[in-house]
Amino acid sequence: MELYIAGGVGEHGRNCFYVEGSNSSFLVDCGVLASDLEDPYPRLTQQQIDRIDKVFLTHSHADHTAALPWLYKRGFRGRLIASDETLRQLPFDLSKNISLERICSNGEGFDKDLAIVWGRSGHCPGGVWYRFSEGGKSILFSGDYTEDTQVYVCDRIRGISADVAVIDCAYGKDEVSYDAACNRLISKTKEALTSHGILLFPVPRYGRGLELLKLFSNHLSCVNYFGDEIFLDQVEAAKQETFWTRSVNINVSLQTYSGEERGIVFVSNPQLNAKAARATAQEVLSLGGRAIATGTVEAGSFSATLIAEGNMDVLRYPIHLHYAQYLQLIQKNRFTETIAYHSAEFPQKRDRRSL
Ligand SMILES: [Zn+2]
Ligand SMILES: [Zn+2]
């Protein structure tokens, strides 16, 4: 087995890993680097693309999937393998999709000679980690991973051996604990509600929005909550325990936003680049409100403009690992070599590894 890093190490985005096995080659994720408009795609040669037999996806977020249409345009005709939930969330039609649950029910299975083990990664609905092995060699990909969740289920990576492990380290040396980040988010949100009345939280279509609503519903009282259609649908679906979500009791009423002056508004568009999300943001700001980002803000996005204008704060809700957690995860497993991905703080030393 050989691993080639096509993106995602030494940078935040473009997550893409090419694995060449003895019988077939595959990709894990195929994302874009949103901050590089001139060269956002994975660093794959045409020869590598021609050899790819299948693409495994860890989850649906754009930094892991948005280069798929580019890959198809470059001639990829193989299979796309992901959890049913991830396939459902993908915003484009892709042929030859294969359900991970179908080939690996109960978290284990084979694709030809490739042995696959997977588990839920706690990061978003449909998100998974993988361990692949073939010919006595093995490699683990954590995907975007967190064990600190209130809503999503994480099958903790424990006691697993691998020759190489590619592990989420998105927060790098910023080692604020999960509890400290949540406490800061709660206290700053309370302050902002008192001084601004209405707050806008842009969140991904699938992921931390539900976690935020759960956190606020536990710690803030007498707040009105609003959301767009996608957000309302997710909250409704989360009322019942699913394979991806715990049974969470989010005890708030949620309505569509129509210009109210007090409360918290969720829009399912983290960078506020979509027209409708931008219009909601402008309306909230025109009422004296304030916007709060809880994840990475991409250069060139409308969210970045709001920060530059002084209309948006950034208060992280953690959904990845930082360096200390990355090291803790390594200690709980048996990995010969480890690679920290998803952070600019850990530059790529070599783009090729022979296992
Ligand atoms: Zn993600
Ligand atoms: Zn990611």
Side-chain angles (χ1 to χ4, degrees):
M1 258 184 175
E2 188 147 294
L3 167 70
Y4 173 78
I5 297 165
V9 179
E11 58 193 3
H12 187 102
R14 193 183 359 224
N15 300 295
C16 186
F17 303 92
Y18 174 81
V19 181
E20 202 165 282
S22 44
N23 293 319
S24 70
S25 299
F26 61 91
L27 281 190
V28 174
D29 290 340
C30 191
V32 293
L33 185 65
S35 59
D36 188 346
L37 294 177
E38 284 182 10
D39 181 24
Y41 296 114
R43 294 179 290 263
L44 290 167
T45 64
Q46 190 59 47
Q47 197 185 21
Q48 286 170 326
I49 292 173
D50 293 345
R51 293 172 82 149
I52 299 168
D53 174 49
K54 52 201 168 260
V55 177
F56 290 93
L57 298 180
T58 59
H59 64 299
S60 70
H61 291 162
D63 55 324
H64 298 256
T65 61
L68 283 169
W70 166 86
L71 191 72
Y72 280 85
K73 265 191 213 137
R74 297 277 302 267
F76 169 66
R77 293 292 174 269
R79 294 165 297 147
L80 184 68
I81 302 172
S83 67
D84 286 325
E85 179 60 30
T86 294
L87 292 173
R88 189 186 69 76
Q89 293 168 14
L90 289 178
F92 29 77
D93 279 336
L94 296 163
S95 57
K96 292 199 191 173
N97 293 346
I98 302 204
S99 149
L100 178 63
E101 289 93 330
R102 194 160 65 87
I103 57 170
C104 302
S105 56
N106 301 320
E108 283 185 43
F110 280 88
D111 182 70
K112 297 179 188 161
D113 295 337
L114 186 71
I116 305 162
V117 177
W118 64 274
R120 293 162 288 187
S121 66
H123 174 77
C124 68
V128 298
W129 53 264
Y130 292 104
R131 179 187 186 269
F132 300 104
S133 56
E134 187 187 64
K137 297 293 176 184
S138 54
I139 185 162
L140 177 126
F141 294 92
S142 74
D144 290 3
Y145 178 88
T146 181
E147 297 180 4
D148 295 317
T149 93
Q150 311 159 88
V151 177
Y152 301 113
V153 182
C154 177
D155 298 313
R156 296 178 173 200
I157 301 173
R158 294 288 185 274
I160 292 187
S161 63
D163 294 291
V164 173
V166 181
I167 302 171
D168 185 359
C169 196
Y171 299 143
K173 298 282 173 64
D174 181 353
E175 296 180 352
V176 175
S177 75
Y178 176 77
D179 288 344
C182 287
N183 289 338
R184 178 164 182 260
L185 194 48
I186 294 160
S187 65
K188 295 276 182 192
T189 301
K190 268 187 194 164
E191 278 173 35
L193 272 174
T194 305
S195 44
H196 294 279
I198 184 92
L199 302 178
L200 180 95
F201 283 82
V203 292
R205 288 168 73 93
Y206 303 97
R208 85 178 96 82
L210 273 184
E211 298 268 355
L212 288 171
L213 183 64
K214 175 70 182 151
L215 186 73
F216 294 153
S217 71
N218 287 350
H219 295 278
L220 306 176
S221 51
C222 302
V223 176
N224 297 317
Y225 294 95
F226 307 95
D228 54 21
E229 202 179 325
I230 296 165
F231 191 74
L232 263 59
D233 285 352
Q234 278 195 75
V235 175
E236 192 57 37
K239 283 182 180 164
Q240 285 172 358
E241 187 177 339
T242 70
F243 179 69
W244 301 101
T245 56
R246 304 166 191 202
S247 67
V248 279
N249 185 14
I250 300 179
N251 205 4
V252 295
S253 70
L254 195 68
Q255 299 158 51
T256 308
Y257 183 64
S258 52
E260 286 84 352
E261 294 181 11
R262 300 201 72 78
I264 289 178
V265 187
F266 291 94
V267 287
S268 306
N269 192 254
Q271 308 302 327
L272 294 174
N273 289 332
K275 209 171 154 192
R278 203 180 298 197
T280 306
Q282 278 158 338
E283 180 158 20
V284 166
L285 295 177
S286 73
L287 294 166
R290 192 155 183 82
I292 298 179
T294 52
T296 304
V297 173
E298 292 168 0
S301 64
F302 189 64
S303 287
T305 305
L306 293 186
I307 291 173
E309 290 171 353
N311 285 318
M312 183 186 250
D313 299 311
V314 181
L315 298 168
R316 175 183 298 158
Y317 180 87
I319 52 166
H320 293 276
L321 301 184
H322 56 59
Y323 187 60
Q325 293 170 318
Y326 162 87
L327 293 178
Q328 284 159 13
L329 193 69
I330 292 168
Q331 280 170 6
K332 290 168 182 159
N333 294 279
R334 299 183 302 277
F335 305 140
T336 310
E337 185 182 355
T338 52
I339 298 169
Y341 93 98
H342 226 319
S343 167
E345 287 179 40
F346 303 94
Q348 190 166 312
K349 293 185 201 108
R350 289 175 289 145
D351 55 11
R352 209 174 265 285
R353 308 270 193 305
S354 292
L355 275 65

